[in-house]
Amino acid sequence: MVRDVTLGQFMPGHSLIHKLDARSKILLLIAYIVFIFLSENYFSLALITVASLAVILLTKINFKFYLKSLKVILFVIVFTGILNIFYGSGTVLYEWGFITITEGGINNAIFVIIRIAVLVMISSVLTFTTSPSDLTDAIEKLLKPLSVFHIKVHEIAMMMTIALRFIPVFLEETDKIMNAQKARGADFESGNVFQRIKALIPVLIPLFVSSFRCANDLATAMECRCYNGGNNRTRMKVMKFSLADLFGLMFSLLVFAGVILLNLYLPAVVR
Amino acid sequence: MSVIKAQNLTLVYGKGTSFQKTALSNVNFEIEQGEFVGLIGHTGSGKSTLVQLLNGLLKPTEGTVYLNGKNIWEEPKKIREVRFKAGMVFQYPEYQLFEETVYKDIAYGPKNMGLSEDETDKRVRSAAEFVGLKRELLYKSPFDLSGGEKRRAAIAGVIAMDPDVLILDEPTAGLDPLGRDVLLSQIQNYHKTRKNTIIFVSHSMEDIARISDRILVMNHGEKLLFDTTQNVFAKAEELEKVGLRIPQITKIMRMLKKRGINVNTNILTIEQAFNEIINYLGT
Ligand SMILES: Nc1ncnc2c1ncn2[C@@H]1O[C@H](COP(=O)(O)OP(=O)(O)OP(=O)(O)O)[C@@H](O)[C@H]1O
Ligand SMILES: [Mg+2]
């Protein structure tokens, strides 16, 4: 079913990570991603991986869902992994025709696979534990300084909110229409690529029609409630930094310091 | 042999997630060939879920659905054939129209069944007639029809597959009073002509009373009652407890009776009530 896609889906809960301020989560996520790519040897990579897994455990969300979000990009991971085996230098381990596999290549492959996997999972932490409205609010706050350059931060945030808000609606609608066409004998599961694409037409057309209807209704509804942009709007939920944020920050700083030290005192195995 | 038999049907949505929801639990019933079954229950009682299980759009978490004595999930590859035999019209079916013309849209199902051009043409025309779609509308774009006409076109698209069992999920919702009555008569007429089995989901007790042989009452995902229309609507108190009611006219007859006017309260339609009252006044 379409609804089984988990990538970027909020799961309500009461864990420590859920309680963090969305702004700190975004900033910390960016920092984690930077440090995932800064780790240059197995020890620092292990440290950032273990730290990320600890964060994942703290969300109290079934690990199955993280694996599911990995499944979506499994092909990309495997593909880049294999590709990386053949690039690299160092001791030659195996040679056959123009194919040479080196120690550096193997290291590269392992690093790439672990880095992407951890990256996807830690990013899922943000989307799993933060409601879309909190997320866009936080992005709006973080981008606020850009309004100096006449960038319409509020409009951008509003568009993101609406887009995110309508993803589940859209999926549900897709599901409904697919079911309705299946009831008339549509077959989405067999045939070659072209047949499958053709089989989707009866789903796509009603979907387009209904999303335009939806957009229209929403615009009318917003106008009826006198929506006119972001100036001087106040919020129902005011964001606040709390003790949990401080704790998260300390934990992360320790991890980052560890990564830097391990990088400095142990030899790098990739680049 | 019954056309449809549901055995210990249970369905859990989103199993293992925080959104887990048991929509149906342990439902059992049998429906005989040629019956007209009304399906009622409060919002969220599991009616749509149940009918989607019957034609294999959902797979039961537990339990089995038998269609003509055969477990529908015995050969998952052949589930499409089940869907042709148990035709399903969804709630608000007008949103599934997609072809350039109404004719082509109605022909989508028969084409998927692999029928010949001739047979398809015959089916499209007779289906359109059953739902009262005028001939000139067949060559219009479905998006140019009125809401009621769209609804008819969508229903015709399923009738054209000539299913053994026709499932209609709230086919009259959102239509004007006359449109409702006409559509209802057409469905009734279709049932009389084809003599197939119909399962009809509705929130209108009046509609259900008018056309069902038997009524299946759902409450919070469980079967509450499955009995003849007369017997179900004789249990006014029980129905009211689960957010349903008896038809207005039945209620009036019961009130008359309470006032000491000796009329039959086994009345389901206005015509029956009219005759009963005339009878009473005559004697
Ligand atoms: N795809 C789904 N995923 C999760 N839960 C669902 C899904 N579809 C229905 N439900 C839930 O299952 C329960 C039964 O829903 P169902 O649609 O079968 O009710 P219904 O009797 O048809 O109601 P209505 O009269 O409003 O059409 C509801 O609580 C609903 O929220
Ligand atoms: Mg329903």
Side-chain angles (χ1 to χ4, degrees):
Chain A
M1 240 173 39
V2 187
R3 258 183 255 193
D4 288 341
V5 180
T6 50
L7 192 71
Q9 199 183 58
F10 174 51
M11 305 197 194
H14 299 284
S15 77
L16 187 67
I17 309 290
H18 281 91
K19 289 201 186 90
L20 289 184
D21 187 283
R23 282 169 297 175
S24 9
K25 275 191 270 190
I26 293 175
L27 293 177
L28 285 175
L29 173 66
I30 295 171
Y32 269 92
I33 292 174
V34 169
F35 278 90
I36 288 169
F37 284 92
L38 281 184
S39 6
E40 291 174 331
N41 57 46
Y42 283 110
F43 296 97
S44 47
L45 188 66
L47 177 63
I48 193 94
T49 307
V50 168
S52 307
L53 287 177
V55 171
I56 285 170
L57 276 184
L58 277 178
T59 61
K60 297 208 176 111
I61 291 170
N62 198 329
F63 196 64
K64 216 173 66 193
F65 293 105
Y66 291 98
L67 293 182
K68 245 188 189 170
S69 61
L70 270 186
K71 221 170 96 187
V72 179
I73 59 149
L74 190 64
F75 174 75
V76 179
I77 299 183
V78 172
F79 186 73
T80 42
I82 291 175
L83 216 65
N84 266 282
I85 295 182
F86 304 111
Y87 292 99
S89 46
T91 332
V92 176
L93 296 176
Y94 182 77
E95 208 165 352
W96 187 74
F98 60 93
I99 297 174
T100 47
I101 295 176
T102 62
E103 206 186 309
I106 301 247
N107 283 335
N108 275 350
I110 295 175
F111 261 80
V112 156
I113 290 174
I114 295 184
R115 276 173 176 170
I116 301 183
V118 174
L119 173 96
V120 170
M121 291 201 288
I122 194 89
S123 309
S124 303
V125 168
L126 177 69
T127 49
F128 283 176
T129 63
T130 319
S131 76
S133 62
D134 283 351
L135 202 58
T136 42
D137 271 5
I139 291 174
E140 185 179 347
K141 276 265 168 67
L142 290 173
L143 293 182
K144 200 85 209 172
L146 288 182
S147 50
V148 184
F149 305 111
H150 296 287
I151 292 175
K152 300 203 157 137
V153 176
H154 176 80
E155 268 80 350
I156 294 172
M158 191 46 140
M159 280 193 264
M160 281 173 53
T161 313
I162 292 174
L164 285 172
R165 165 67 185 75
F166 276 90
I167 287 174
V169 175
F170 208 61
L171 288 181
E172 197 168 309
E173 194 72 22
T174 312
D175 217 46
K176 243 169 49 192
I177 296 173
M178 275 178 105
N179 269 342
Q181 307 300 24
K182 270 195 211 158
R184 295 204 281 163
D187 184 3
F188 305 115
E189 275 118 40
S190 58
N192 60 33
V193 182
F194 294 105
Q195 283 165 331
R196 281 185 196 215
I197 292 175
K198 214 173 148 222
L200 280 180
I201 292 176
V203 177
L204 293 181
I205 293 179
L207 202 57
F208 268 117
V209 174
S210 88
S211 45
F212 277 110
R213 197 183 52 235
C214 230
N216 222 339
D217 289 352
L218 181 68
T220 315
M222 281 169 81
E223 247 165 60
C224 289
R225 290 200 256 167
C226 304
Y227 174 81
N228 56 5
N231 298 336
N232 308 324
R233 277 165 71 89
T234 53
R235 310 209 163 268
M236 191 163 93
K237 276 196 284 183
V238 181
M239 290 188 283
K240 257 202 232 105
F241 286 106
S242 64
L243 213 61
D245 293 291
L246 189 67
F247 178 73
L249 185 67
M250 304 278 273
F251 173 79
S252 306
L253 284 180
L254 278 178
V255 173
F256 300 153
V259 170
I260 293 173
L261 286 177
L262 287 168
N263 269 346
L264 282 180
Y265 290 102
L266 290 167
V269 290
V270 285
R271 257 156 287 141
Chain B
M1 189 180 60
S2 47
V3 186
I4 283 187
K5 181 174 165 193
Q7 204 169 52
N8 305 329
L9 275 191
T10 296
L11 190 108
V12 182
Y13 282 114
K15 198 164 188 177
T17 69
S18 52
F19 305 104
Q20 178 162 330
K21 160 106 202 165
T22 307
L24 277 188
S25 49
N26 202 16
V27 175
N28 292 283
F29 60 84
E30 285 186 40
I31 293 173
E32 302 301 324
Q33 159 62 32
E35 261 191 303
F36 200 121
V37 175
L39 178 51
I40 58 177
H42 60 83
T43 297
S45 59
K47 304 181 295 294
S48 300
T49 307
L50 178 61
V51 291
Q52 286 180 56
L53 281 167
L54 298 185
N55 81 336
L57 282 170
L58 288 174
K59 198 170 177 174
T61 315
E62 263 167 60
T64 325
V65 176
Y66 296 94
L67 183 66
N68 295 322
K70 205 172 148 223
N71 177 357
I72 63 169
W73 285 102
E74 199 172 278
E75 291 172 272
K77 288 237 166 76
K78 295 202 172 157
I79 196 70
R80 273 177 84 205
E81 279 161 37
V82 171
R83 292 178 191 149
F84 294 136
K85 281 191 195 128
M88 161 108 184
V89 179
F90 274 82
Q91 247 165 321
Y92 298 101
E94 50 272 34
Y95 297 133
Q96 71 191 39
L97 301 171
F98 71 98
E99 278 283 11
E100 287 157 68
T101 65
V102 174
Y103 181 95
K104 280 191 187 169
D105 205 282
I106 300 177
Y108 179 69
K111 280 225 175 102
N112 280 332
M113 293 169 80
L115 297 177
S116 66
E117 287 286 324
D118 282 355
E119 180 64 18
T120 305
D121 186 67
K122 224 164 66 195
R123 296 242 183 135
V124 171
R125 286 178 198 284
S126 85
E129 205 168 308
F130 268 125
V131 298
L133 268 185
K134 288 196 211 78
R135 193 152 289 173
E136 61 264 26
L137 289 183
L138 285 180
Y139 300 100
K140 269 190 158 181
S141 158
F143 299 105
D144 290 342
L145 302 184
S146 77
E149 289 164 346
K150 277 186 194 163
R151 178 79 55 94
R152 280 154 209 275
I155 295 175
V158 175
I159 286 184
M161 304 194 305
D162 197 14
D164 294 343
V165 181
L166 177 65
I167 304 168
L168 297 150
D169 197 348
E170 295 190 44
T172 53
L175 293 183
D176 64 288
L178 183 63
R180 287 178 87 100
D181 276 351
V182 173
L183 185 60
L184 219 54
S185 307
Q186 279 156 348
I187 292 170
Q188 217 168 5
N189 180 30
Y190 170 77
H191 176 62
K192 279 199 187 117
T193 325
R194 291 284 171 90
K195 306 219 167 15
N196 58 1
T197 313
I198 295 192
I199 300 174
F200 184 96
V201 181
S202 178
H203 281 298
S204 160
M205 300 303 137
E206 280 70 27
D207 291 359
I208 289 276
R210 191 173 128 193
I211 58 178
S212 326
D213 302 324
R214 281 206 290 166
I215 300 180
L216 175 57
V217 186
M218 297 296 298
N219 181 35
H220 291 298
E222 285 175 24
K223 179 181 89 177
L224 184 72
L225 293 169
F226 189 25
D227 210 337
T228 59
T229 309
Q230 301 273 354
N231 288 348
V232 167
F233 284 133
K235 297 179 177 159
E237 289 76 23
E238 214 167 318
L239 290 178
E240 259 153 40
K241 249 186 254 158
V242 300
L244 300 169
R245 54 170 183 77
I246 54 175
Q248 306 260 12
I249 195 70
T250 314
K251 196 160 194 174
I252 291 179
M253 298 310 271
R254 284 177 148 235
M255 284 157 88
L256 287 177
K257 178 100 175 199
K258 246 186 218 157
R259 286 282 188 88
I261 300 171
N262 196 13
V263 286
N264 184 0
T265 55
N266 249 344
I267 295 289
L268 296 171
T269 62
I270 306 262
E271 291 84 57
Q272 286 171 5
F274 178 78
N275 290 335
E276 180 68 22
I277 291 173
I278 291 287
N279 256 343
Y280 176 81
L281 292 177
T283 53

